[in-house]
Amino acid sequence: MENGKPIKNTNLVEKFQKDGFVVLENALTDSQLSALNSDLSMWVEESRRNEKPYGKITDGRPRFDLQLDTHSFENPALRRITSPAEISQACLDVVKDNKALDLVSEIFGPNIKHWTNKINLKLPSSGTEVKFHQDFPYEPHSNEDLMTVLFFLDDVTLENGPLEVVAGTHNGPLYSLWHDGIFTGAVSEEIEVECKTKAISCVGKAGSACLMHSKLMHGSKSNKTKSARSLFIVSYTAEDAVKLTENPLPSELDGMIVRGEKTGTVRSTSYSVELPEYPQEVSFFDQQSKSKNTV
């Protein structure tokens, strides 16, 4: 605070507008990070006693997703927790208030609402990877002011499967995630090869966050180390961005105002995008497994 007013992050806003992403240090307080990791440790231990995805979100799909080809009691491979803020006070508290959210409101305006939240895990040698894609085709809205905030729950290094982004692609075209009539959730092999040559790894200490525009091209490699790499991922939208499809991660928290107020208005921008397929699978990892691309 300065003279009773929030300090403006002008440089970070300008960098975001240019590159489509920015890494913010100390986005979580020490107490927030500790509380999140405490709940996560509990869930990992719980997953040992399950042989298939379990729990339930509002549409009936499992809340806890396991990578079945590697999961075991000795080596748990919990890879996704959907909408943990519905069952965790620590997650809900972070969704509602964090340093990254302050920056989101500077970038998109004062009125911000929550869209989705999830935890993606890359446990030691789990093999989980994410093919290159843009988030927006999964979640089209009336305008393009959508932000994905990835909170680092562990130190993220070049070796443990960091997020890889292609700077500036948020200002470019929206690429198809459909191939041969199948919604794969990944771009074509040709586009993926090009992305790999330009990709930038987002690394940082636990408690940092990467703010990423929903149109930014990104992916990540598998974790080859003996250390975990986990992210709490929260998506926010401008309050006047109205969803054009059903939320792929339905939650009772969809549309919750987290900054500013509800205006009851709709703002539209001009773009064209292929509508996504509503997921039948437990998570998008299974959707991407339909793709022939490799990372």
Side-chain angles (χ1 to χ4, degrees):
M1 301 288 285
E2 184 176 291
N3 297 323
K5 298 181 179 180
I7 298 174
K8 297 296 183 180
N9 297 291
T10 304
N11 292 339
L12 292 179
V13 172
E14 292 177 350
K15 177 175 173 54
F16 178 86
Q17 291 171 340
K18 174 178 178 290
D19 295 335
F21 77 99
V22 65
V23 175
L24 181 67
E25 296 181 353
N26 302 313
L28 297 173
T29 65
D30 290 343
S31 61
Q32 285 178 320
L33 179 61
S34 177
L36 290 174
N37 276 322
S38 177
D39 281 358
L40 180 55
S41 295
M42 174 189 66
W43 288 325
V44 171
E45 286 302 308
E46 180 183 67
S47 74
R48 294 178 186 271
R49 302 188 295 273
N50 290 270
E51 298 181 350
K52 61 182 181 180
Y54 60 99
K56 187 180 291 187
I57 60 174
T58 59
D59 68 357
R61 286 180 294 155
R63 187 182 300 276
F64 297 90
D65 183 28
L66 308 175
Q67 185 164 332
L68 296 179
D69 59 345
T70 61
H71 177 73
S72 67
F73 182 89
E74 295 77 16
N75 297 293
L78 178 64
R79 63 181 178 180
R80 157 71 65 82
I81 305 167
T82 299
S83 303
E86 288 187 311
I87 59 173
S88 162
Q89 188 63 47
C91 291
L92 180 59
D93 288 345
V94 170
V95 166
K96 290 182 174 181
D97 189 30
N98 59 78
K99 187 177 177 182
L101 179 54
D102 295 336
L103 184 54
V104 173
S105 65
E106 286 191 48
I107 294 171
F108 289 158
N111 304 313
I112 304 294
K113 60 187 178 185
H114 164 266
W115 171 237
T116 64
N117 69 93
K118 61 197 175 191
I119 293 178
N120 282 357
L121 300 91
K122 291 188 180 181
L123 296 178
S125 304
S126 66
T128 302
E129 62 183 32
V130 177
K131 299 177 177 66
F132 277 91
H133 66 285
Q134 296 162 299
D135 286 345
F136 195 79
Y138 282 95
E139 52 189 19
H141 279 63
S142 63
N143 65 65
E144 298 155 272
D145 284 355
L146 276 70
M147 182 79 75
T148 305
V149 180
L150 304 98
F151 295 100
F152 300 175
L153 302 186
D154 305 292
D155 291 348
V156 178
T157 69
L158 293 174
E159 292 76 31
N160 66 359
L163 175 74
E164 295 187 310
V165 301
V166 184
T169 48
H170 67 303
N171 288 322
L174 289 164
Y175 292 94
S176 178
L177 304 182
W178 289 86
H179 306 290
D180 298 324
I182 299 173
F183 185 75
T184 68
V187 296
S188 68
E189 184 175 357
E190 293 76 16
I191 298 299
E192 174 127 351
V193 169
E194 183 179 352
C195 288
K196 288 182 178 180
T197 66
K198 301 176 181 179
I200 300 169
S201 296
C202 297
V203 299
K205 294 292 185 180
S208 300
C210 178
L211 288 76
M212 180 180 70
H213 195 285
S214 182
K215 287 180 62 180
L216 191 75
M217 191 73 72
H218 64 284
S220 68
K221 295 182 179 179
S222 59
N223 180 4
K224 302 297 185 182
T225 74
K226 295 182 179 180
S227 301
R229 193 238 67 179
S230 305
L231 304 173
F232 181 38
I233 304 175
V234 184
S235 295
Y236 298 106
T237 79
E239 185 272 338
D240 57 6
V242 175
K243 61 185 179 183
L244 301 181
T245 59
E246 290 300 312
N247 192 326
L249 302 179
S251 163
E252 62 186 19
L253 304 175
D254 180 3
M256 176 178 61
I257 302 297
V258 290
R259 284 289 186 275
E261 60 186 14
K262 184 175 182 178
T263 65
T265 61
V266 178
R267 177 168 50 91
S268 298
T269 57
S270 178
Y271 68 88
S272 178
V273 66
E274 294 174 302
L275 294 177
E277 179 181 71
Y278 190 84
Q280 302 300 316
E281 300 84 359
V282 179
S283 75
F284 86 123
F285 297 112
D286 293 315
Q287 284 182 304
Q288 286 204 338
S289 69
K290 300 174 185 177
S291 172
K292 297 179 181 179
N293 298 355
T294 57
V295 175

